[in-house]
Structures are given as structure tokens and as C-alpha cells.
């Protein structure tokens, strides 16, 4: 019996409860050939030998330019979309004194604080689910996209 392998993807919702209490820090993907133009939080694939938390920390360092403090689990979102299948682990952190920035300009063309009540389109398709689960205190939702 053969086994297919599926992506493990981490995402970190960045909040600044002191300076931007009702905003979320997002990047707009560009130049990657995948989801270009979509707004996403920092994140990416887990690498071999990394724990999920190590991957989340690395992605924030690479994409937002700082080492995050405490990462709090938000939700788990297994997904299927066309030929893609995997599992998203979503965390959140307060940036504290850090100033997030555009850490990978070759992969994103914007980095900004955006109001939670009026997030721009297009958003990563799973982001609304993650924010809803966060608000409601849920932790799991399977996603399927056509």
C-alpha cells in the first residue's frame, strides 16, 4: 500500500494589542506563482526536522522580520483543494515591542496593519474560517475547495 504525503503548513496571526488593537498584520503575496495578490498572515511549509512551533517561528522571522514571543494555538484546518491536500496549523501572537515588516519582498509586495472588520480581498480562503473559530472559541474545521 502506498502512502501519499501531504503538506503541513503553519500560519501566525500577528496582533498588536497596544498600538493596533482591532487590526491584523497581513502580507500580500506577489511573484510566487501561487496565490499572488492574496492577503495572508506570515506562514509557510514545515521543513524536515522542524516541529510545528519551530516552523511557525521561522516563518515569522523570515516574512515579518522579528522573533515572536509566545505562540498561542488558534485552530487546525485540514484542507483539500484540487490536487493539493494538507493541514494548516494557525497560531497567534502579540508583537509586543516588535515592528513587523516586509521580510521577503521577493514573495510579497505589501505588509500592513488592516482592520479586522474590513479586511481586503482577496484573502487566503482559510483565513475567514480561522478568524471565526478564534472568535467563537472553536479549534477545528475541515475545508474543501473546488
Amino acid at each position: 500500500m502506498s502512502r501519499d504525503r501531504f503538506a503541513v503548513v503553519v500560519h501566525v496571526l500577528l496582533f498588536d494589542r497596544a498600538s493596533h488593537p482591532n487590526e491584523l498584520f497581513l502580507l500580500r503575496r506577489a511573484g510566487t506563482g501561487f496565490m499572488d495578490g492574496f492577503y495572508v498572515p506570515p506562514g509557510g511549509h514545515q521543513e524536515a526536522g522542524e516541529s510545528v512551533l519551530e516552523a511557525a517561528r521561522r516563518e515569522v522571522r523570515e516574512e515579518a522580520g522579528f522573533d515572536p514571543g509566545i505562540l498561542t494555538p488558534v485552530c487546525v484546518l485540514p484542507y483539500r483543494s484540487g490536487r493539493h491536500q494538507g493541514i494548516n496549523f494557525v497560531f497567534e501572537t502579540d508583537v509586543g515591542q516588535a515592528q513587523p515588516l516586509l521580510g521577503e519582498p521577493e514573495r510579497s509586495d505589501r505588509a500592513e496593519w488592516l482592520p479586522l472588520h474590513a479586511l481586503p480581498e482577496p484573502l487566503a480562503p482559510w483565513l475567514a474560517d480561522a478568524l471565526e473559530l478564534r472568535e467563537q472559541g472553536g479549534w477545528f474545521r475541515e475545508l474543501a475547495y473546488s
Side-chain angles (χ1 to χ4, degrees):
M1 172 182 198
S2 70
R3 293 181 187 245
D4 290 323
R5 297 181 189 252
F6 303 104
V8 175
V9 188
V10 296
H11 309 279
V12 182
L13 306 176
L14 302 182
F15 294 99
D16 181 344
R17 290 173 182 89
S19 300
H20 303 276
N22 298 307
E23 297 179 330
L24 178 63
F25 184 83
L26 295 177
L27 306 164
R28 187 173 68 183
R29 292 181 59 88
T32 68
F34 181 74
M35 291 182 58
D36 289 338
F38 281 75
Y39 285 87
V40 299
H45 290 87
Q46 179 185 31
E47 294 179 356
E50 279 183 322
S51 72
V52 172
L53 282 171
E54 288 168 342
R57 288 184 184 291
R58 177 183 49 76
E59 289 292 346
V60 171
R61 282 192 305 271
E62 290 174 0
E63 295 185 8
F66 74 99
D67 195 12
I70 295 170
L71 294 175
T72 304
V74 173
C75 61
V76 178
L77 303 168
Y79 66 90
R80 287 174 290 138
S81 177
R83 63 182 181 86
H84 300 283
Q85 185 171 355
I87 187 164
N88 290 314
F89 287 92
V90 183
F91 299 92
E92 72 174 78
T93 194
D94 188 310
V95 301
Q97 299 299 314
Q99 296 296 319
L101 50 82
L102 180 57
E104 294 182 322
E106 69 280 5
R107 295 176 182 254
S108 300
D109 64 0
R110 294 187 75 148
E112 58 192 312
W113 291 101
L114 296 160
L116 281 168
H117 67 277
L119 292 173
E121 292 291 333
L123 287 174
W126 55 267
L127 186 53
D129 291 284
L131 292 170
E132 182 179 312
L133 287 168
R134 178 182 181 268
E135 183 70 25
Q136 295 174 352
W139 68 273
F140 178 86
R141 184 173 294 163
E142 279 199 79
L143 306 175
Y145 309 104
S146 50

